[in-house]
Amino acid sequence: MSVMDKLKQMLKGHEDQAGKGIDKSGDMLDERTQGKYSSQVDTAQDKLNEQLRRDQDQPPQP
């Protein structure tokens, strides 16, 4: 079992909290870097949220 599979199992049922964590951590990173990498952080947040939604829509794998 890969690390991603383990993470997906751990997040199952807690997608809302994971999404909030992604947003909060990105905002904290923006604050600590004084917005220097804001566009890269926003892109990473978008991709992580997209992956989270995509995994939520797929049926569980046996």
Side-chain angles (χ1 to χ4, degrees):
M1 182 178 279
S2 73
V3 174
M4 284 303 291
D5 290 336
K6 288 180 183 180
L7 284 172
K8 288 176 187 178
Q9 271 186 331
M10 288 172 39
L11 292 175
K12 189 148 186 85
H14 304 285
E15 291 85 2
D16 291 338
Q17 289 176 323
K20 288 178 186 176
I22 291 168
D23 293 337
K24 192 171 185 178
S25 61
D27 294 343
M28 184 182 70
L29 188 58
D30 271 340
E31 183 181 318
R32 292 190 126 192
T33 61
Q34 299 170 353
K36 187 174 182 181
Y37 304 104
S38 183
S39 64
Q40 290 92 337
V41 170
D42 289 343
T43 301
Q45 284 177 304
D46 291 342
K47 289 186 184 246
L48 284 168
N49 282 321
E50 181 182 312
Q51 181 69 36
L52 188 62
R53 283 191 302 271
R54 189 176 326 134
D55 290 342
Q56 193 175 11
D57 293 341
Q58 290 181 352
Q61 299 286 329

